[in-house]
Amino acid sequence: DSGVTQTPKHLITATGQRVTLRCSPRSGDLSVYWYQQSLDQGLQFLIQYYNGEERAKGNILERFSAQQFPDLHSELNLSSLELGDSALYFCASGRPPGSEQFFGPGTRLTVL
Amino acid sequence: QKEVEQDPGPLSVPEGAIVSLNCTYSNSAFQYFMWYRQYSRKGPELLMYTYSSGNKEDGRFTAQVDKSSKYISLFIRDSQPSDSATYLCAMNSGFQKLVFGTGTRLLVSP
């Protein structure tokens, strides 16, 4: 158990809908990273938050947004969902100066 | 060209074999190197973490980094069926996003 929690485990929804994925980092970790894993793209970085502030953006679509709250949990919002958004979404947490990241169990999103 | 290249496998070995997994990379700024193990549809589990060049050993696992060749390896001794999983190399240049290889699927048969 990495100490990172994610909810829900599974989400099944329809195209055009909006969903929210939630992540709680390990105790003491101030940074949260979101990654998307699809069969053909591997693990792709989406966005990083550090102590409530956006720190870095990767290949995140404009339809996607995220935030980190004062209690350090983070939410990833996906809107106007398309079939191609079906993937595993992972949250990871870490703390400086270390570079290692610890991953949660993921949320499997299926868009029908 | 991808920043990190990794043979997707599958790599099939008998129980007890020594397994060698490798990645190459192109970005010379990478300083921190990690190996993750991922069971099917589960979260990646951090196995090894190495800074710069050199070797690191943890039980049956040894990680090697050769920055001059931009080449990293993970060796698994006395492989077990429970080691069957996908192994992902990952790296970064500091407190920031990880860049992953595509993963190598390992199958260890009894």
Side-chain angles (χ1 to χ4, degrees), chain A residues 60-78:
Chain A
I60 188 165
L61 300 171
E62 285 193 13
R63 300 183 285 109
F64 296 0
S65 65
Q67 54 185 324
Q68 186 179 28
F69 295 86
D71 67 353
L72 300 177
H73 91 271
S74 178
E75 292 181 356
L76 179 67
N77 301 295
L78 315 177

Side-chain angles (χ1 to χ4, degrees), chain A residues 63-112:
Chain A
R63 300 183 285 109
F64 296 0
S65 65
Q67 54 185 324
Q68 186 179 28
F69 295 86
D71 67 353
L72 300 177
H73 91 271
S74 178
E75 292 181 356
L76 179 67
N77 301 295
L78 315 177
S79 61
S80 302
L81 285 167
E82 302 176 358
L83 295 177
D85 297 327
S86 295
L88 278 163
Y89 291 84
F90 290 106
C91 163
S93 75
R95 64 185 75 164
S99 296
E100 67 269 51
Q101 296 173 21
F102 298 89
F103 282 74
T107 293
R108 188 191 313 173
L109 174 66
T110 303
V111 182
L112 301 175

Side-chain angles (χ1 to χ4, degrees), chain A residues 14-40:
Chain A
T15 54
Q17 295 299 304
R18 172 189 170 94
V19 297
T20 298
L21 283 54
R22 182 187 168 105
C23 166
S24 292
R26 290 188 320 159
S27 177
D29 285 356
L30 300 180
S31 198
V32 168
Y33 306 79
W34 286 97
Y35 292 86
Q36 180 192 57
Q37 187 176 39
S38 56
L39 283 174
D40 59 345

Side-chain angles (χ1 to χ4, degrees), chain B residues 9 29 43 53:
Chain B
S53 286

Side-chain angles (χ1 to χ4, degrees), chain A residues 4-16:
Chain A
V4 179
T5 61
Q6 288 186 251
T7 56
K9 286 186 178 178
H10 305 283
L11 264 178
I12 301 175
T13 188
T15 54

Side-chain angles (χ1 to χ4, degrees), chain B residues 42-53:
Chain B
K42 303 293 185 185
E45 173 193 1
L46 181 62
L47 283 178
M48 300 291 283
Y49 170 67
T50 310
Y51 168 69
S52 194
S53 286

